Amino acid sequence: MNEKVRMEGIFKRFPGVIANDGVDLDIREGEIHALLGENGAGKTTLMCVLAGIYSPDAGTIRIDGEKALIRSPRDAIRAGIGMVHQHFMLVVPYSVAENVTLGLNKPRFLLNERKLEAEVGKVAQSFGIQVDPHAKIWQLSVGEQQRVEILKSLYRGAKILILDEPTAVLTPQEVRELFVTLRQMARAGHTLVIISHKLEEVMSLSDRISVMRKGKRISTVNTKDTNPTELARLMVGREMLFDLHKEKAIPGDEVLSFYNLHALSDKGLPALRDISLSVRSKEIVGIAGVAGNGQRELAEVITGLRPATSGKVVVNGKDVTNNSPRQVIDQGVAHIPEDRKGTGTVPNLCVLDNLMLKCYRVEPFRNGPLLNLSRIREFAQKLVKQFRISTPSLETPVRLLSGGNVQKLILAREIATFSELMIAVHPTRGLDVGATEDVHQMLLEQRSKGAAILLISEDLDELLALCDRIDVIYEGKFMGEVPAEGEQIETIGLMMAGKKGGTKEPEAASLQAHA
Amino acid sequence: MTWDVILATLAAAIKAGTPILYATLGEILAERAGILNLGLEGMMLIGALTGFLICSMTNNPWLGVLAAISSGALLALIHAFLTITLRAQQVVSGLALTMFGMGLSGFIGKVVIGVPIVSYFRPFDFPILSQIPLLGEVFFQQDALVYISYLLIPILSFWIYRTRPGLHMRAVGENPATADAMGISVTGIRYFYTLLGGCLAGLGGAYLSLAYTPVWLENMVAGRGWIAIALVIFASWDPLRALLGSYLFGLVDAVQFRAQALGLAVPSFFLNMTPYVATILVLVFATRQTARRHLGAPTALGIPFAREEKT
Ligand SMILES: Nc1ncnc2c1ncn2[C@@H]1O[C@H](COP(=O)(O)OP(=O)(O)OP(=O)(O)O)[C@@H](O)[C@H]1O
Ligand SMILES: [Mg+2]
């Protein structure tokens, strides 16, 4: 196979960090090349250099053997490079067709919507990508938005397509569809680079794998000559266990219970329809389901971020229905929200401030009406170290951290301040294998210490590994409950598609006791 | 009141609304590209003065308009350089521009206070259209600059919603990072529309000194720039709605003027106040609506863009 791209000695420094420290990488024509590495290893930075978003401080890029000067995204597009970013780059109020043709000079002046949509539709079809060119971006699911992103690059005739963690936000079904599309593209001669933290995915999809650590490329291997254990060791630099130790635990008192909850979605449609459940201490209860079936709304109603239209939420025997978030927090409830930038952090505030968002009001971080900065600093330093948050300093604004490190920061804050109940929504999305294992370990630890945990996730393996029982949510209703055992995976799959099942109605017994 | 009085008031409303309309349209363009320019008042003042000076020197009002447009663009260039290239705070830069415009025009304008000019934009009957009953009298017995502003509405609407450059302009105001990644020059587009906004603000100023009241008075814009900024929100960044809003304000102005002329027993302070009270009411009303329906404020309005800075 010919060499398609060669990056040599790429060096990129940001204030306080060297994101790429002399990286060499070669990518062959028609291959699917996976890029692995811990959070903050510099994968996104390296690919942004290739796509013209960042200009490197040193290094050269060759395409088809010729030296290429890529100084802007426009240069990259001209060189046949397209990138699908971790956070999608789409103009939300625009239609699919408008997004796909954005920045092109064809047509030069007059926009004929109908013609444009027909044209985009035709190209989409020729690549086997299913999207409605007329739809507005905000009407699309995450999976569909991603297809628009891919189409955008292909429409520009990209030969090299970079995908930054494309599967992190997709449902298992969508991942399968995406992989079919990607394999098709590779067969048609496209060159693909895919960044991912999911080792099994990488093993099944890629031809070769490059591993990065601390801004350097550590090694490149043929996929068929390696295995997940070796990859994990290369990434993290230590042996990974992949073996969670879930102790048997006898659940204690009821910590969280909610009855006949109803709530509306942002669009004003019913999102939760009459659901009830209870979680006891020393217990992890999982909520499985395809994204958008009410998971987010459920977490928000419990934590006081969204009003319940009817029903009741009880924490530690206290009715907290429609209480303010502060009142809920004061009940010892921690929340790892789905939306990291909006709900989870204040992106423009620094690491220190974000870590202190929940506990600045209590002793010893408070000194009368003032903040006790030295104590705060000490505490924040400890968290950064304990949770291995990689950041140049405590004063770095959170928006500059890599995706995985933002998530670690939220976890650090919530675990450090929580006592009784944790609502965790996709807690390991976007985390590297090491960090994922750490998070799983921590959740189990909290469980042994007597916490009640409600774990909302789309990752069935994660749910099965951590939970004691799993409820499946579909269109705002519980389809039933199963114990967290491997052989239940089929049943869960069926319930996720809307079929009632499982061993019993969730917590019917305790409900009756309450009534 | 007779028909005649009503028609005359409506015609006066259009006249009074036109300078606000020009400024509002200019601000809409800049804001659509993501640049908030609070220097409108200053640019209008400088436009009014430059237009007046050049016209009184050359006796050619068209040259005056040209000069006003250029001076507006020049001031806008300062704003563009500060906020786009140096990425300064847009609010601060805009306020500075307004104060600069007020001070400079007041200072230079001293020499021409009270000086009359012979040639300025006078109303004329637009061929044929002025013969339409009622409408003709209101809309088509105006001056050339009013007729040009009529033309501007469909042109700008078309430009914003139906053309590729318009699409790119809106994309830059909505999501500059995406526009940039698609190879659009965010800097170029922001400069262009900020300058264009300056041109229209200058023109709006010139309308005051070359058509509305053909003299120079210190601070003669009298808050119209601020009204225009409020109107942009009321108009939800749409040229046609800007037209309606501007004429509404023109009407308030015309009515209070007439009331003063008739010597109503209301203190003139109150009447002078009405346009500004109306501004506040409009803002209260419009922002409530905005909050409810997310009436299309450009998402990246007021936020500087740099490719390597994450937002
Ligand atoms: N625009 C930027 N400004 C400042 N620092 C940045 C910027 N982009 C990245 N960094 C820093 O560079 C380092 C590498 O980040 P990068 O996003 O490339 O990591 P990554 O390998 O993609 O990690 P993840 O798996 O978490 O996405 C991080 O320490 C990050 O904080
Ligand atoms: Mg990344």
PDB file of all heavy atoms in Angstrom, chain A residues 38-45 86 164-165 195 197 402-404 430, chain B residues 310, ligand 2:
ATOM      1  N   GLU A  38      -4.149   7.882  26.050  1.00  0.00           N
ATOM      2  CA  GLU A  38      -4.858   8.368  27.228  1.00  0.00           C
ATOM      3  C   GLU A  38      -5.464   9.738  26.967  1.00  0.00           C
ATOM      4  O   GLU A  38      -5.099  10.419  26.016  1.00  0.00           O
ATOM      5  CB  GLU A  38      -3.883   8.503  28.399  1.00  0.00           C
ATOM      6  CG  GLU A  38      -3.415   7.208  28.986  1.00  0.00           C
ATOM      7  CD  GLU A  38      -2.625   7.475  30.246  1.00  0.00           C
ATOM      8  OE1 GLU A  38      -1.446   7.840  30.129  1.00  0.00           O
ATOM      9  OE2 GLU A  38      -3.192   7.328  31.342  1.00  0.00           O
ATOM     10  N   ASN A  39      -6.344  10.153  27.866  1.00  0.00           N
ATOM     11  CA  ASN A  39      -6.896  11.502  27.774  1.00  0.00           C
ATOM     12  C   ASN A  39      -5.774  12.526  27.881  1.00  0.00           C
ATOM     13  O   ASN A  39      -4.944  12.448  28.783  1.00  0.00           O
ATOM     14  CB  ASN A  39      -7.898  11.743  28.903  1.00  0.00           C
ATOM     15  CG  ASN A  39      -9.104  10.837  28.791  1.00  0.00           C
ATOM     16  OD1 ASN A  39      -9.455  10.147  29.730  1.00  0.00           O
ATOM     17  ND2 ASN A  39      -9.719  10.812  27.643  1.00  0.00           N
ATOM     18  N   GLY A  40      -5.758  13.440  26.930  1.00  0.00           N
ATOM     19  CA  GLY A  40      -4.724  14.472  26.963  1.00  0.00           C
ATOM     20  C   GLY A  40      -3.411  14.062  26.330  1.00  0.00           C
ATOM     21  O   GLY A  40      -2.423  14.775  26.428  1.00  0.00           O
ATOM     22  N   ALA A  41      -3.391  12.892  25.656  1.00  0.00           N
ATOM     23  CA  ALA A  41      -2.147  12.427  25.049  1.00  0.00           C
ATOM     24  C   ALA A  41      -1.774  13.244  23.823  1.00  0.00           C
ATOM     25  O   ALA A  41      -0.623  13.222  23.379  1.00  0.00           O
ATOM     26  CB  ALA A  41      -2.263  10.953  24.673  1.00  0.00           C
ATOM     27  N   GLY A  42      -2.740  13.946  23.252  1.00  0.00           N
ATOM     28  CA  GLY A  42      -2.436  14.791  22.098  1.00  0.00           C
ATOM     29  C   GLY A  42      -2.988  14.285  20.779  1.00  0.00           C
ATOM     30  O   GLY A  42      -2.586  14.745  19.716  1.00  0.00           O
ATOM     31  N   LYS A  43      -3.932  13.365  20.833  1.00  0.00           N
ATOM     32  CA  LYS A  43      -4.500  12.805  19.610  1.00  0.00           C
ATOM     33  C   LYS A  43      -5.273  13.850  18.817  1.00  0.00           C
ATOM     34  O   LYS A  43      -5.061  14.036  17.618  1.00  0.00           O
ATOM     35  CB  LYS A  43      -5.448  11.638  19.954  1.00  0.00           C
ATOM     36  CG  LYS A  43      -4.843  10.603  20.852  1.00  0.00           C
ATOM     37  CD  LYS A  43      -5.842   9.527  21.224  1.00  0.00           C
ATOM     38  CE  LYS A  43      -6.992  10.006  22.085  1.00  0.00           C
ATOM     39  NZ  LYS A  43      -6.644  10.361  23.470  1.00  0.00           N
ATOM     40  N   THR A  44      -6.190  14.535  19.518  1.00  0.00           N
ATOM     41  CA  THR A  44      -7.001  15.543  18.845  1.00  0.00           C
ATOM     42  C   THR A  44      -6.113  16.642  18.274  1.00  0.00           C
ATOM     43  O   THR A  44      -6.309  17.093  17.139  1.00  0.00           O
ATOM     44  CB  THR A  44      -8.028  16.138  19.818  1.00  0.00           C
ATOM     45  OG1 THR A  44      -8.860  15.089  20.297  1.00  0.00           O
ATOM     46  CG2 THR A  44      -8.887  17.179  19.145  1.00  0.00           C
ATOM     47  N   THR A  45      -5.125  17.056  19.064  1.00  0.00           N
ATOM     48  CA  THR A  45      -4.224  18.110  18.600  1.00  0.00           C
ATOM     49  C   THR A  45      -3.524  17.700  17.314  1.00  0.00           C
ATOM     50  O   THR A  45      -3.474  18.462  16.344  1.00  0.00           O
ATOM     51  CB  THR A  45      -3.183  18.419  19.689  1.00  0.00           C
ATOM     52  OG1 THR A  45      -3.863  18.740  20.900  1.00  0.00           O
ATOM     53  CG2 THR A  45      -2.291  19.566  19.273  1.00  0.00           C
ATOM     54  N   GLN A  86     -14.853  15.988  17.529  1.00  0.00           N
ATOM     55  CA  GLN A  86     -15.471  15.395  18.708  1.00  0.00           C
ATOM     56  C   GLN A  86     -16.779  16.128  19.036  1.00  0.00           C
ATOM     57  O   GLN A  86     -17.800  15.523  19.266  1.00  0.00           O
ATOM     58  CB  GLN A  86     -14.488  15.523  19.865  1.00  0.00           C
ATOM     59  CG  GLN A  86     -14.566  14.458  20.903  1.00  0.00           C
ATOM     60  CD  GLN A  86     -13.319  14.474  21.793  1.00  0.00           C
ATOM     61  OE1 GLN A  86     -12.315  15.121  21.485  1.00  0.00           O
ATOM     62  NE2 GLN A  86     -13.377  13.766  22.885  1.00  0.00           N
ATOM     63  N   ASP A 164     -12.851  11.937  15.071  1.00  0.00           N
ATOM     64  CA  ASP A 164     -12.398  12.059  16.458  1.00  0.00           C
ATOM     65  C   ASP A 164     -13.469  11.497  17.390  1.00  0.00           C
ATOM     66  O   ASP A 164     -14.531  12.086  17.549  1.00  0.00           O
ATOM     67  CB  ASP A 164     -12.115  13.537  16.783  1.00  0.00           C
ATOM     68  CG  ASP A 164     -11.332  13.688  18.078  1.00  0.00           C
ATOM     69  OD1 ASP A 164     -11.158  12.674  18.785  1.00  0.00           O
ATOM     70  OD2 ASP A 164     -10.906  14.818  18.374  1.00  0.00           O
ATOM     71  N   GLU A 165     -13.186  10.349  17.978  1.00  0.00           N
ATOM     72  CA  GLU A 165     -14.120   9.657  18.877  1.00  0.00           C
ATOM     73  C   GLU A 165     -15.541   9.626  18.334  1.00  0.00           C
ATOM     74  O   GLU A 165     -16.472  10.120  18.976  1.00  0.00           O
ATOM     75  CB  GLU A 165     -14.084  10.292  20.270  1.00  0.00           C
ATOM     76  CG  GLU A 165     -12.719  10.135  20.904  1.00  0.00           C
ATOM     77  CD  GLU A 165     -12.709  10.511  22.371  1.00  0.00           C
ATOM     78  OE1 GLU A 165     -13.702  10.235  23.056  1.00  0.00           O
ATOM     79  OE2 GLU A 165     -11.693  11.060  22.823  1.00  0.00           O
ATOM     80  N   ILE A 195     -10.024   8.079  15.921  1.00  0.00           N
ATOM     81  CA  ILE A 195      -9.579   8.161  17.309  1.00  0.00           C
ATOM     82  C   ILE A 195     -10.636   7.490  18.171  1.00  0.00           C
ATOM     83  O   ILE A 195     -11.832   7.729  17.975  1.00  0.00           O
ATOM     84  CB  ILE A 195      -9.420   9.638  17.744  1.00  0.00           C
ATOM     85  CG1 ILE A 195      -8.388  10.331  16.866  1.00  0.00           C
ATOM     86  CG2 ILE A 195      -9.027   9.713  19.209  1.00  0.00           C
ATOM     87  CD1 ILE A 195      -8.229  11.813  17.174  1.00  0.00           C
ATOM     88  N   HIS A 197     -11.432   5.333  22.231  1.00  0.00           N
ATOM     89  CA  HIS A 197     -10.950   4.774  23.499  1.00  0.00           C
ATOM     90  C   HIS A 197     -11.433   3.350  23.677  1.00  0.00           C
ATOM     91  O   HIS A 197     -11.106   2.694  24.651  1.00  0.00           O
ATOM     92  CB  HIS A 197     -11.449   5.618  24.671  1.00  0.00           C
ATOM     93  CG  HIS A 197     -10.787   6.940  24.767  1.00  0.00           C
ATOM     94  ND1 HIS A 197      -9.435   7.062  24.958  1.00  0.00           N
ATOM     95  CD2 HIS A 197     -11.258   8.197  24.658  1.00  0.00           C
ATOM     96  CE1 HIS A 197      -9.114   8.346  24.987  1.00  0.00           C
ATOM     97  NE2 HIS A 197     -10.210   9.064  24.796  1.00  0.00           N
ATOM     98  N   SER A 402      -8.579  18.636  27.712  1.00  0.00           N
ATOM     99  CA  SER A 402      -9.053  17.647  26.748  1.00  0.00           C
ATOM    100  C   SER A 402     -10.354  17.056  27.282  1.00  0.00           C
ATOM    101  O   SER A 402     -10.630  17.096  28.479  1.00  0.00           O
ATOM    102  CB  SER A 402      -8.006  16.564  26.559  1.00  0.00           C
ATOM    103  OG  SER A 402      -8.046  15.664  27.630  1.00  0.00           O
ATOM    104  N   GLY A 403     -11.142  16.500  26.338  1.00  0.00           N
ATOM    105  CA  GLY A 403     -12.479  16.027  26.682  1.00  0.00           C
ATOM    106  C   GLY A 403     -12.498  15.108  27.897  1.00  0.00           C
ATOM    107  O   GLY A 403     -13.320  15.265  28.796  1.00  0.00           O
ATOM    108  N   GLY A 404     -11.593  14.163  27.920  1.00  0.00           N
ATOM    109  CA  GLY A 404     -11.585  13.197  29.006  1.00  0.00           C
ATOM    110  C   GLY A 404     -11.260  13.831  30.336  1.00  0.00           C
ATOM    111  O   GLY A 404     -11.785  13.429  31.379  1.00  0.00           O
ATOM    112  N   GLY A 430     -16.093   8.922  26.759  1.00  0.00           N
ATOM    113  CA  GLY A 430     -14.934   9.715  26.358  1.00  0.00           C
ATOM    114  C   GLY A 430     -13.707   9.507  27.224  1.00  0.00           C
ATOM    115  O   GLY A 430     -12.684  10.133  26.987  1.00  0.00           O
TER     116      GLY A 430
ATOM    117  N   LYS B 310     -10.107  27.415  22.096  1.00  0.00           N
ATOM    118  CA  LYS B 310     -11.380  26.711  22.218  1.00  0.00           C
ATOM    119  C   LYS B 310     -12.395  27.652  22.857  1.00  0.00           C
ATOM    120  O   LYS B 310     -12.039  28.509  23.640  1.00  0.00           O
ATOM    121  CB  LYS B 310     -11.203  25.492  23.121  1.00  0.00           C
ATOM    122  CG  LYS B 310     -10.337  24.428  22.523  1.00  0.00           C
ATOM    123  CD  LYS B 310     -10.471  23.175  23.378  1.00  0.00           C
ATOM    124  CE  LYS B 310      -9.374  22.186  23.094  1.00  0.00           C
ATOM    125  NZ  LYS B 310      -9.350  21.132  24.119  1.00  0.00           N
TER     126      LYS B 310
HETATM  127 MG    MG C   2      -9.538  14.399  21.994  1.00  0.00          MG
END
